[in-house]
C-alpha cells in the first residue's frame, strides 16, 4: 500500500459508514437550501445576483454587517475538524493502526493518506452543495457572477482543506480520543471566538510595554489598527472571509468589513492610498495555504516518533 492506497481506503470507509452521504445531505441543505430560499423567496427579480447573497451586506453607517461566507466558513471549519480529528487516534486506540503499518505503509503514508482521504470526503460533499446552489440561482432567475462564484468555491475548498489539516495534526499528536476531542473543541473556540480578543489585545499590550520603556513612543492609532488587522487575518476563518469578500468588492472594503466605524474612518484613507503587503490578497492567500501545509507536517513530525 502507499499514500494513495491509504487515502482510497479512508474514502471507501467513509462511503461504507455513510459519513459521506450524511455530509452531502447536510451541505445540500445548508448551501443549496439557503440559496434556494434566498433567491426563491426573499429576493426575486431585478438585482438578484450571486453578490446579493455571497458578497458583503452592510447597513448604512456600518450599524449592521453580515457575511454569508463568514457563516459558511464557521460551518465548514467545524465539519472539517470533526471529520479529521479522530482519523489517526481512533486507529491507534482500536489497534488497527499496527495492522495498517504492518502492510508496506510508512507513517508518512498514513498521515498524508488520511489527509487526502478526509479532505476528499469534505470537499466532495461541499461541492454538491455549491452545485445545488448554482442551479437554485439559475432556476430562480438570479444572475450568477461565474468568475467570483468559482473563486468562492475554490477558496471554500482551501478552507476545508486547512481545517482537515489542523484536525489531522491534532489527531496525530493526541494521546487519546478524549484529548483529541477537547483539543479540537478548544482550538475551534479560539479561531471562532477568542481570536478577535487576541487581535485587539496584542497591540494594547505592546503599547503598554512600550510605555514602560523610556524614550520609546507608543504606537500611533493607525499602526494599532493595522496591527490588529494583520493579526485578524492570520486566522484562516477571517482570511477566507476577506478573500471571498474581495471577489465581490474592493480590497479595501473587504479588509475593513466588520471593523468599527471609528477604525474605518481612521484607516480607510491609508488603505485607499496603498494597502500594505501584509494585508494584500496574495499575502492573506499565502496565510491560508500555510494552514494547509504546516499542521500535517507538524503532525507527521510528532507521529513518526510516537511509540505505538
Amino acid at each position: 500500500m502507499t499514500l494513495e492506497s491509504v487515502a482510497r481506503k479512508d474514502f471507501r470507509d467513509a462511503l461504507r459508514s455513510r459519513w459521506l452521504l450524511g455530509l452531502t445531505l447536510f451541505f445540500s441543505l445548508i448551501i443549496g437550501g439557503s440559496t434556494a430560499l434566498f433567491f426563491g423567496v426573499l429576493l426575486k427579480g431585478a438585482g438578484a445576483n450571486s453578490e446579493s447573497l455571497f458578497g458583503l451586506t452592510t447597513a448604512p453607517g456600518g450599524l449592521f454587517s453580515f457575511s454569508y461566507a463568514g457563516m459558511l466558513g464557521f460551518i465548514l471549519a467545524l465539519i472539517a475538524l470533526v471529520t479529521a480529528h479522530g482519523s489517526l487516534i481512533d486507529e491507534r486506540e482500536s489497534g488497527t493502526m499496527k495492522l495498517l503499518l504492518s502492510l508496506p505503509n510508512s507513517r508518512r503514508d498514513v498521515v498524508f493518506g488520511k489527509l487526502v482521504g478526509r479532505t476528499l470526503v469534505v470537499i466532495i460533499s461541499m461541492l454538491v452543495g455549491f452545485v445545488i446552489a448554482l442551479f437554485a440561482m439559475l432556476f430562480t432567475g438570479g444572475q450568477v457572477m461565474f468568475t467570483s462564484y468559482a473563486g468562492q468555491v475554490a477558496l471554500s475548498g482551501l478552507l476545508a482543506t486547512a481545517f482537515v489539516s489542523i484536525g489531522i495534526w491534532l489527531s496525530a499528536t493526541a494521546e487519546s480520543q478524549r484529548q483529541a476531542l477537547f483539543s479540537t473543541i478548544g482550538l475551534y473556540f479560539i479561531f471562532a471566538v477568542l481570536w478577535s480578543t487576541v487581535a485587539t489585545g496584542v497591540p494594547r499590550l505592546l503599547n503598554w510595554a512600550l510605555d514602560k520603556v523610556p524614550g520609546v513612543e507608543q504606537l500611533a492609532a493607525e499602526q494599532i489598527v493595522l496591527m490588529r488587522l494583520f493579526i485578524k487575518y492570520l486566522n484562516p476563518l477571517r482570511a477566507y472571509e476577506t478573500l471571498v469578500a474581495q471577489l465581490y468588492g474592493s480590497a479595501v472594503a473587504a479588509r475593513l468589513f466588520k471593523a468599527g466605524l471609528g477604525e474605518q474612518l481612521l484607516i480607510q484613507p491609508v488603505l485607499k492610498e496603498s494597502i500594505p503587503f501584509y494585508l494584500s490578497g496574495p499575502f492573506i492567500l499565502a496565510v491560508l495555504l500555510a494552514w494547509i501545509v504546516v499542521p500535517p507536517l507538524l503532525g507527521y513530525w510528532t507521529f513518526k516518533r510516537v511509540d505505538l
Side-chain angles (χ1 to χ4, degrees):
M1 294 180 76
T2 60
L3 186 155
E4 181 185 344
S5 301
V6 174
R8 193 177 298 162
K9 176 186 177 300
D10 212 47
F11 188 75
R12 281 200 303 265
D13 290 344
L15 282 175
R16 276 197 292 268
S17 65
R18 300 187 179 180
W19 183 239
L20 179 64
L21 177 63
L23 282 185
T24 303
L25 289 174
F26 176 78
F27 281 118
S28 299
L29 287 173
I30 290 293
I31 305 176
S34 61
T35 304
L37 176 66
F38 185 83
F39 288 99
V41 178
L42 300 177
L43 182 65
K44 294 181 178 179
N49 58 54
S50 51
E51 183 183 358
S52 308
L53 178 62
F54 300 116
L56 303 178
T57 302
T58 305
L63 297 177
F64 169 79
S65 58
F66 174 75
S67 165
Y68 181 90
M71 181 195 72
L72 181 60
F74 282 110
I75 296 171
L76 262 177
L78 181 61
I79 295 298
L81 281 175
V82 170
T83 303
H85 85 281
S87 55
L88 292 159
I89 193 64
D90 287 352
E91 301 242 21
R92 282 178 60 187
E93 293 203 341
S94 66
T96 55
M97 180 61 76
K98 291 182 179 177
L99 176 63
L100 196 60
L101 290 172
S102 68
L103 300 169
N105 291 320
S106 66
R107 298 195 183 199
R108 182 191 60 188
D109 294 336
V110 172
V111 171
F112 292 99
K114 292 282 184 182
L115 172 63
V116 174
R118 301 297 164 113
T119 299
L120 284 175
V121 170
V122 178
I123 286 186
I124 288 175
S125 53
M126 179 204 76
L127 284 176
V128 173
F130 272 112
V131 170
I132 292 175
L134 176 64
F135 281 105
M137 283 187 281
L138 293 174
F139 285 129
T140 54
Q143 181 187 355
V144 181
M145 303 164 71
F146 285 100
T147 303
S148 299
Y149 191 71
Q152 180 177 5
V153 174
L155 287 170
S156 300
L158 292 179
L159 180 73
T161 307
F163 274 92
V164 170
S165 295
I166 293 169
I168 293 289
W169 168 45
L170 296 176
S171 192
T173 55
E175 296 180 356
S176 66
Q177 289 178 335
R178 178 176 295 184
Q179 188 183 80
L181 177 63
F182 284 130
S183 300
T184 300
I185 294 171
L187 200 59
Y188 182 77
F189 187 72
I190 290 172
F191 282 131
V193 179
L194 289 184
W195 200 279
S196 296
T197 305
V198 174
T200 303
V202 169
R204 288 180 179 174
L205 184 63
L206 182 60
N207 246 359
W208 176 83
L210 291 175
D211 189 46
K212 304 295 180 187
V213 181
V216 178
E217 294 184 357
Q218 289 186 325
L219 297 174
E222 292 87 349
Q223 292 173 311
I224 290 174
V225 176
L226 288 172
M227 181 179 289
R228 196 184 75 77
L229 291 176
F230 169 69
I231 297 171
K232 175 182 176 181
Y233 293 124
L234 293 179
N235 183 335
L237 282 171
R238 296 306 175 196
Y240 164 76
E241 184 180 35
T242 193
L243 289 172
V244 172
Q246 192 172 344
L247 293 172
Y248 294 96
S250 71
V252 174
R255 297 299 173 270
L256 293 178
F257 182 61
K258 291 185 178 176
L261 185 58
E263 286 185 338
Q264 291 190 31
L265 293 174
L266 182 68
I267 210 66
Q268 200 167 38
V270 178
L271 295 187
K272 280 186 174 178
E273 186 176 335
S274 174
I275 295 180
F277 79 94
Y278 52 84
L279 293 179
S280 65
F283 183 86
I284 295 176
L285 179 61
V287 169
L288 189 55
L289 293 175
W291 281 108
I292 294 175
V293 174
V294 175
L297 289 176
L298 292 175
Y300 170 60
W301 185 78
T302 303
F303 186 69
K304 71 179 182 180
R305 290 169 171 76
V306 170
D307 182 9
L308 298 175

